[in-house]
Amino acid sequence: MEQFEECPICLNEYDLNRLPVFLLPCRHTFCQQCVSILTSKECPFCRLQFNGTEKNTSFIKDYSTHRLSKIEAILDENYQKKLEIFDKNSKNLTNVKMIFQLNFDQLQNDQFKSGFSELFNSKLKTQKMDEVNFYFISLKYKAIKEELKNMQDQNFETNYIDYMVKRTERFLEKETLVQSNEFLDGKKFYQECYSEYIMEKFGYLKNELELSEKLLDSHFKTNNEMFLRNNGLVRDIISKLELKKLPKDINLTEFKEMVNERLHVKLLIENFQNFENKYKDLKRSIQNKQIIADDLVEFCEYDLLDQKSQIEDLITKVDIFIKLNKIEKLSFKPFETSYLTFISDYRSNHSRKKFDKYKIINHLLKI
């Protein structure tokens, strides 16, 4: 800001709140505040007795003119800067449409083209609104500009000058002549629209994969805990049986085989291994598709539609796996009861085998 003469007593710059006054008759200048507190009626410069003061009207006029010129210069600078941006954006709209058309003509899927075109045109409406906003704001700018010019040609009260300065400052703060301070880049604009459309159309796939992975992990965790519980119960029964002293008529090897068969030990392990293998296969597939889902914008339209179909099929497979694959909770009778049941079953089965053996021998003897 231009430097005005300052008071030689307090060294503060003169302004509308600290107006300069002449001492009469010597006409040396000091600010009103300092003159009002002088202890004697002597000029601090020449020591001449003064008998009154007079306002420095030329300073008031020059200061007001300076304020108006300064605010007008800021207004012009702001408008010119925004105008350059707006003009650049307006010219680039033609390039944006050309770039869009060149890329759009390469698309082949009608549904894909329709959705993308709709989004692109909606974005262009935002740019078109800048033209409307700029037109009305330009009218405001020209009106303020004209009024500031008239004020410099005529004398106005200080209060009205303050009003115009504040009005112009509010205009500069409130009105933005364009949405962005960056020039509109055609290729960048097209790519942003394309990326936004892809995420709007296919972005949900990434969230679906993340949800399916969480459900799959939770399902595996629950069933793994159930398998460990079941396996622990079976192993506990087998351990207790091994400590038992079996009757003499019980063959240890045959009895163990029968117990393992009745407890479905082999089947229990096989079922869980199959369950675990299916889980791992699905987990790997989800992780592979998540990598693809992170780079959807890199795919062409048909690859996108193909990946969309594959991901949806994978999510369906996960849902089916969760519904149909479950480790059931096993329950057993108290150990002593189970032990007596195994003994009884063994003897019954062993007697049946002996009976079948003697029946065959008798049949052969008859022949």
Side-chain angles (χ1 to χ4, degrees), residues 23-73:
L23 298 184
L24 300 177
C26 66
R27 298 191 68 80
H28 288 130
T29 306
F30 305 94
C31 70
Q32 280 183 331
Q33 286 85 339
C34 289
V35 172
S36 65
I37 60 173
L38 289 176
T39 57
S40 65
K41 292 293 184 179
E42 289 183 356
C43 172
F45 268 172
C46 62
R47 298 301 178 183
L48 185 67
Q49 291 286 327
F50 66 88
N51 52 21
T53 60
E54 179 184 327
K55 286 185 178 180
N56 189 338
T57 55
S58 62
F59 168 82
I60 296 173
K61 182 179 179 180
D62 292 344
Y63 185 79
S64 299
T65 301
H66 170 79
R67 291 184 72 200
L68 292 175
S69 299
K70 187 63 177 179
I71 199 68
E72 183 179 13

Side-chain angles (χ1 to χ4, degrees), residues 271-287:
N271 286 343
F272 181 75
Q273 287 176 341
N274 291 333
F275 175 85
E276 187 176 30
N277 290 335
K278 289 179 182 178
Y279 160 76
K280 288 179 178 179
D281 289 341
L282 289 172
K283 179 79 171 178
R284 279 193 296 269
S285 298
I286 288 177
Q287 290 173 341

Side-chain angles (χ1 to χ4, degrees), residues 257-277:
E257 289 177 358
M258 187 203 74
V259 170
N260 286 335
E261 183 179 348
R262 294 295 173 85
L263 293 177
H264 306 293
V265 174
K266 186 177 181 180
L267 183 62
L268 180 69
I269 295 174
E270 288 179 353
N271 286 343
F272 181 75
Q273 287 176 341
N274 291 333
F275 175 85
E276 187 176 30
N277 290 335

Side-chain angles (χ1 to χ4, degrees), residues 235-248:
R235 295 300 174 191
D236 183 58
I237 291 173
I238 292 174
S239 298
K240 289 180 178 179
L241 286 173
E242 289 178 349
L243 296 175
K244 273 283 188 181
K245 187 175 181 180
L246 297 175
K248 293 181 179 181

Side-chain angles (χ1 to χ4, degrees), residues 43-257:
C43 172
F45 268 172
C46 62
R47 298 301 178 183
L48 185 67
Q49 291 286 327
F50 66 88
N51 52 21
T53 60
E54 179 184 327
K55 286 185 178 180
N56 189 338
T57 55
S58 62
F59 168 82
I60 296 173
K61 182 179 179 180
D62 292 344
Y63 185 79
S64 299
T65 301
H66 170 79
R67 291 184 72 200
L68 292 175
S69 299
K70 187 63 177 179
I71 199 68
E72 183 179 13
I74 295 173
L75 179 67
D76 290 341
E77 182 183 358
N78 176 272
Y79 182 80
Q80 189 61 37
K81 181 180 178 181
K82 301 298 183 182
L83 179 61
E84 290 175 2
I85 297 172
F86 177 79
D87 286 344
K88 185 71 174 181
N89 285 349
S90 297
K91 291 176 183 177
N92 279 355
L93 276 177
T94 303
N95 294 332
V96 167
K97 292 177 181 178
M98 181 182 68
I99 291 170
F100 170 77
Q101 200 60 48
L102 288 172
N103 289 274
F104 187 77
D105 290 342
Q106 298 179 18
L107 301 177
Q108 297 179 4
N109 184 274
D110 291 337
Q111 185 179 1
F112 192 93
K113 291 175 70 173
S114 176
F116 182 43
S117 177
E118 183 178 344
L119 174 68
F120 187 83
N121 288 329
S122 69
K123 292 292 184 182
L124 285 186
K125 287 180 181 179
T126 303
Q127 301 299 323
K128 288 291 184 182
M129 284 302 298
D130 278 348
E131 295 182 8
V132 177
N133 292 337
F134 186 80
Y135 172 74
F136 286 107
I137 293 172
S138 294
L139 293 179
K140 292 181 182 179
Y141 162 78
K142 291 175 182 178
I144 294 176
K145 178 80 172 174
E146 186 66 25
E147 198 160 352
L148 289 173
K149 182 179 179 181
N150 292 335
M151 290 181 68
Q152 290 180 358
D153 296 337
Q154 303 175 28
N155 292 325
F156 285 90
E157 292 293 332
T158 303
N159 290 341
Y160 189 70
I161 294 174
D162 288 341
Y163 161 75
M164 280 305 299
V165 170
K166 290 178 180 178
R167 177 185 170 188
T168 306
E169 289 174 345
R170 283 197 302 270
F171 172 79
L172 293 172
E173 291 175 1
K174 183 178 179 182
E175 305 291 356
T176 52
L177 304 183
V178 290
Q179 290 293 327
S180 172
N181 287 328
E182 296 180 359
F183 292 145
L184 180 64
D185 182 274
K187 292 182 180 179
K188 182 179 178 182
F189 183 77
Y190 175 86
Q191 190 59 43
E192 287 176 352
C193 288
Y194 183 78
S195 299
E196 183 175 339
Y197 175 71
I198 296 303
M199 295 312 298
E200 181 182 302
K201 188 76 175 177
F202 303 97
Y204 75 95
L205 294 173
K206 183 177 180 180
N207 296 331
E208 290 291 328
L209 285 171
E210 290 177 354
L211 178 60
S212 292
E213 185 179 26
K214 288 180 180 178
L215 292 174
L216 182 65
D217 290 340
S218 177
H219 184 67
F220 177 77
K221 181 181 178 182
T222 300
N223 285 274
N224 183 53
E225 291 173 352
M226 185 60 67
F227 167 74
L228 294 176
R229 173 197 172 278
N230 292 343
N231 192 50
L233 289 176
V234 170
R235 295 300 174 191
D236 183 58
I237 291 173
I238 292 174
S239 298
K240 289 180 178 179
L241 286 173
E242 289 178 349
L243 296 175
K244 273 283 188 181
K245 187 175 181 180
L246 297 175
K248 293 181 179 181
D249 62 323
I250 303 297
N251 182 282
L252 178 61
T253 303
E254 292 179 351
F255 184 72
K256 282 186 176 180
E257 289 177 358

Side-chain angles (χ1 to χ4, degrees), residues 5-11 14 29-31 45:
E5 187 178 353
E6 61 185 23
C7 173
I9 298 176
C10 64
L11 301 181
Y14 296 132
T29 306
F30 305 94
C31 70
F45 268 172

